[in-house]
């Protein structure tokens, strides 16, 4: 019994010396439960909708009023011409564009069916599928309300309702899950492999006690950072080409946009991901600790907070704010835009700028830590 007590006391003292591991064991599970409990939701809310109302009648306004009196749709703009639709959907300013035709009120008054076009961004197949269901239900509800209005007294409403919704899917017409998931999965896989590989690089020197030799040499922190990053950058580029090749050959996901812009986006993403790995490596003392921290900070955030599966717009504001620090959030959006929408630099530059800012911050902090430990 005394021997067990002695070992117990010794282990407690060792745990007290390693506060980071203690924090990972006690506080991180509770924090992750709280974070992902709010973030995990298959509800699709606050879908951004732009409206092109070519009729400008009381009936078209009545239709819109009914549509936006719920948490599922959020009106983000009024379009003046059909030529604006492509730009709104490509930039992601709207997930749906509703086109109300010129004869909307006239057809309802004559007892004919009015067809409203719903143009949906199919790059997020899950949200598009759910949106079609919501829109169908709301169109049916609006039809019944229009039938009860006084203006319908003189006309017999058509069977099946006065308003028919005609959905058209852009960028992914068949709503194939592979086209939606492959660009996002590429971001998740690259993030995990890049951060874990880089996180073990410096801490490995610490464990082998070779970091002192490096510190005593003429190597500067930024030279050490570059020297550590470049080999993993090359490996991750090979991984990227492999993933793109498999996505194209097996799942038929072809790159519609510029290959140059795709390559630039991948390089910027890897710069940020490897910087995060180096920051973890510089702030930990063992490979085991670095590996645990790298997995916790990349695996679940890449799946849940990146928009890969769960729409960020449907999450609480606080969780949306936290997701701003998740690099794959920007990479997934940029990849879907370039691969599926043939987006140009003017469309994806906000995502690229965010990844550059995060990459600079991670690498700068890693250099500061390494300079401090010299």
């Amino acid at each position: 019994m005394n021997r067990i007590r002695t070992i117990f006391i010794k282990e407690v003292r060792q745990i007290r010396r390693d506060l980071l591991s203690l924090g990972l064991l006690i506080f991180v599970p509770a924090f992750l439960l709280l974070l992902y409990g709010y973030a995990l939701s298959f509800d699709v809310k606050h879908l951004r909708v732009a409206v092109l109302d070519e009729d400008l009648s009381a009936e078209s306004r009545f239709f819109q009023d009914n549509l936006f009196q719920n948490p599922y749709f959020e009106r983000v703009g009024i379009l003046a011409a059909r030529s604006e639709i492509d730009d709104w959907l490509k930039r992601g300013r709207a997930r749906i564009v509703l086109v109300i035709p010129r004869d909307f009120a006239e057809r309802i008054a004559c007892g004919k069916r009015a067809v409203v076009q719903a143009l949906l961004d199919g790059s997020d197949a899950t949200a598009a599928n759910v949106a079609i269901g919501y829109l169908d239900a709301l169109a049916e509800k609006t039809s019944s309300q229009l039938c009860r209005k006084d203006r319908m007294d003189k006309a017999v409403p058509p069977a099946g309702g006065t308003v028919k919704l005609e959905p058209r899917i852009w960028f992914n017409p068949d709503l194939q899950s592979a086209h939606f998931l492959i660009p996002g999965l590429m971001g998740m896989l690259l993030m995990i492999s890049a951060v874990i590989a880089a996180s073990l690089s410096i801490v490995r020197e610490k464990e082998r006690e070779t970091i002192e030799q490096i510190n005593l040499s003429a190597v500067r922190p930024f030279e050490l950072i570059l020297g550590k990053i470049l080999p993993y950058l090359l490996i991750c580029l090979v991984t990227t080409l492999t993933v793109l090749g498999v996505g194209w050959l097996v799942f038929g996901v072809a790159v519609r946009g510029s290959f140059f812009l795709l390559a630039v986006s991948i390089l910027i993403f890897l710069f940020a991901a490897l910087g995060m790995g180096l920051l973890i490596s510089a702030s930990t003392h063992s490979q085991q600790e670095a590996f645990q921290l790298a997995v916790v900070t990349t695996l679940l955030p890449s799946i849940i907070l990146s928009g890969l599966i769960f729409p960020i717009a449907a999450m609480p504001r606080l969780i949306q704010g936290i997701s701003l620090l998740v690099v794959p959030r920007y990479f997934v959006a940029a990849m879907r835009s370039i691969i599926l929408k043939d987006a140009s630099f003017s469309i994806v530059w906000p995502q690229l700028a965010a990844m550059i800012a995060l990459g600079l911050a991670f690498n700068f902090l890693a250099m500061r830590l390494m300079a401090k430990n010299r």
Side-chain angles (χ1 to χ4, degrees), residues 52-278:
L52 173 59
D53 187 353
E54 296 177 329
D55 196 49
L56 296 174
S57 62
E59 285 76 8
S60 66
R61 286 192 292 275
F62 179 79
F63 174 75
Q64 292 180 55
D65 290 342
N66 272 275
L67 184 66
F68 296 110
Q69 287 178 353
N70 59 72
Y72 305 114
F73 300 106
E74 180 181 344
R75 181 162 39 194
V76 292
I78 304 293
L79 277 60
R82 288 180 181 253
S83 57
E84 298 177 22
I85 295 174
D86 185 66
D87 187 66
W88 275 74
L89 289 177
K90 269 192 173 180
R91 289 181 184 276
R93 296 169 67 186
R95 286 285 181 189
I96 305 167
V97 174
L98 285 179
V99 181
I100 302 175
R102 296 183 188 281
D103 57 352
F104 183 80
E106 182 184 338
R107 292 185 69 84
I108 290 175
C110 296
K112 297 179 181 176
R113 180 173 297 155
V115 177
V116 175
Q117 272 191 352
L119 307 174
L120 296 102
D121 179 355
S123 62
D124 187 340
T126 305
N129 265 321
V130 175
I132 291 172
Y134 288 166
L135 286 170
D136 273 335
L138 287 169
E140 186 178 343
K141 177 185 171 187
T142 305
S143 289
S144 61
Q145 290 176 338
L146 281 169
C147 289
R148 288 198 296 267
K149 290 175 76 69
D150 292 337
R151 62 176 69 90
M152 292 295 298
D153 286 345
K154 298 178 182 177
V156 178
T162 54
V163 179
K164 179 178 180 352
L165 193 79
E166 188 177 82
R168 291 188 180 178
I169 314 298
W170 286 27
F171 313 126
N172 182 13
D174 300 326
L175 289 178
Q176 293 185 23
S177 299
H179 289 232
F180 161 64
L181 289 174
I182 294 292
L185 284 173
M186 190 167 69
M188 185 195 77
L189 296 173
L190 284 178
M191 185 71 187
I192 294 171
S193 57
V195 171
I196 290 178
S199 69
L200 300 178
S201 60
I202 294 174
V203 78
R204 188 184 302 124
E205 305 281 359
K206 293 179 186 174
E207 283 193 342
R208 293 175 180 171
E209 298 181 350
T210 53
I211 192 70
E212 285 81 6
Q213 297 173 14
I214 295 174
N215 290 337
L216 292 173
S217 69
V219 177
R220 298 175 181 175
F222 80 92
E223 292 170 337
L224 179 59
I225 290 279
L226 282 178
K228 290 287 184 184
I229 278 182
L230 287 176
Y232 297 112
L233 185 65
L234 294 174
I235 293 171
C236 289
L237 285 176
V238 174
T239 307
T240 305
L241 290 175
T242 305
V243 171
L244 281 173
V246 171
W248 177 51
L249 292 172
V250 179
F251 299 101
V253 181
V255 179
R256 296 178 186 170
S258 161
F259 280 92
F260 176 74
L261 185 58
L262 182 74
V264 170
S265 304
I266 291 170
L267 283 173
I268 293 173
F269 169 70
L270 290 176
F271 166 69
L274 291 170
M276 182 176 170
L278 289 177

Side-chain angles (χ1 to χ4, degrees), residues 41-61:
S41 172
F42 287 101
D43 294 338
V44 178
K45 294 181 180 177
H46 307 294
L47 284 167
R48 297 188 299 277
V49 181
V51 179
L52 173 59
D53 187 353
E54 296 177 329
D55 196 49
L56 296 174
S57 62
E59 285 76 8
S60 66
R61 286 192 292 275

